[in-house]
């Protein structure tokens, strides 16, 4: 009943219609070092269409390893940050958090976008700095493990949550962000 009520409240509220800076997106897209697959292009176009809509987005991207799901997520994150919103990327393992962190840092290297990671690999001081940056808005994109679900974490302007390997999280964990 609680989950149904949450979904009903969310469906009744308008989502965040994002503006897309076509020139900036084109520039970001051109730095992608690979050729997009047909499925990847379709997924990117569908996500961008969702982001232009004023409906809350719930989109599942499925594909085999190497399909390019991370690039779809990066483009969505790029658009979100260009709309002055933060992005949280929830991953199931510390190793995957580090891999995504490095990939995002490399991919966004030419852009003034602050990316941070939150996992047990960081010291308490580093974690506190990241958490403070999320609250103040200094961190644009955070990649983290279950630590992102901690009740003490707040965001200045959370605009998108990306859950990698969502099947590895429970319903309550995923619904926490929706709430």
């Amino acid at each position: 009943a609680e989950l149904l009520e949450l979904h009903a409240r969310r469906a009744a509220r308008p989502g965040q219609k994002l503006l897309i800076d076509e020139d900036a997106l084109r520039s970001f897209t051109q730095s992608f070092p690979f050729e997009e697959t047909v499925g990847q292009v379709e997924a990117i176009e569908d996500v961008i269409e969702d982001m232009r809509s004023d409906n809350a987005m719930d989109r599942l991207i499925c594909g085999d390893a190497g399909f390019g799901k991370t690039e779809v997520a990066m483009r969505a994150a790029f658009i979100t940050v260009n709309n002055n919103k933060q992005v949280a990327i929830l991953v199931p393992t510390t190793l995957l958090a580090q891999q995504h962190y490095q990939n995002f840092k490399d991919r966004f290297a030419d852009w003034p976008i602050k990316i941070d990671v939150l996992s047990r690999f960081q010291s308490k001081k580093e974690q506190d700095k990241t958490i403070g940056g999320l609250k103040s808005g200094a961190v644009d994109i955070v990649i983290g493990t279950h630590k992102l679900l901690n009740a003490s974490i707040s965001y200045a302007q959370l605009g998108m949550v990306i859950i990698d390997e969502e099947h590895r999280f429970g319903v309550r964990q995923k619904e926490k962000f929706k709430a």
Side-chain angles (χ1 to χ4, degrees):
E2 181 183 323
L3 292 175
L4 286 174
E5 182 182 330
L6 170 65
H7 282 277
R9 279 196 328 259
R10 190 165 184 263
R13 279 193 334 243
Q16 300 175 19
K17 187 176 188 175
L18 300 182
L19 301 174
I20 299 176
D21 180 337
E22 298 292 343
D23 292 334
L25 182 58
R26 186 172 17 276
S27 180
F28 183 77
T29 298
Q30 288 172 345
S31 68
F32 182 52
F34 305 101
E35 186 175 331
E36 295 98 342
T37 66
V38 172
Q40 195 176 23
V41 169
E42 288 176 10
I44 291 166
E45 289 172 355
D46 288 345
V47 167
I48 289 173
E49 185 178 318
D50 285 350
M51 295 176 87
R52 283 188 170 124
S53 161
D54 61 358
N55 295 323
M57 179 169 61
D58 270 326
R59 179 158 297 273
L60 179 65
I61 306 292
C62 295
D64 293 332
F67 168 81
K69 299 177 295 294
T70 302
E71 180 63 16
V72 176
M74 287 181 180
R75 292 189 194 181
F78 180 82
I79 292 167
T80 303
V81 171
N82 273 347
N83 278 265
N84 300 312
K85 309 264 187 223
Q86 294 168 298
V87 177
I89 302 169
L90 179 64
V91 299
T93 67
T94 306
L95 181 59
L96 189 55
Q98 285 303 128
Q99 288 173 339
H100 277 323
Y101 173 67
Q102 193 56 56
N103 288 336
F104 271 72
K105 289 288 281 186
D106 292 346
R107 186 74 172 87
F108 286 82
D110 295 335
W111 297 91
I113 294 173
K114 173 71 171 138
I115 300 168
D116 227 329
V117 64
L118 193 60
S119 74
R120 64 182 171 90
F121 281 172
Q122 279 63 52
S123 67
K124 171 83 168 106
K125 183 178 177 181
E126 290 170 322
Q127 290 179 25
D128 289 345
K129 183 178 177 191
T130 298
I131 292 167
L134 290 170
K135 187 174 186 173
S136 72
V139 173
D140 299 306
I141 299 173
V142 64
I143 301 161
T145 57
H146 291 78
K147 287 188 177 295
L148 290 179
L149 300 170
N150 191 311
S152 67
I153 295 179
S154 62
Y155 299 84
Q157 190 67 23
L158 183 63
M160 177 174 277
V161 176
I162 298 169
I163 303 175
D164 195 7
E165 296 191 28
E166 64 86 29
H167 62 281
R168 309 241 335 241
F169 294 95
V171 171
R172 292 238 180 250
Q173 292 166 320
K174 291 182 274 192
E175 298 301 321
K176 182 175 177 8
F177 277 112
K178 288 182 182 178

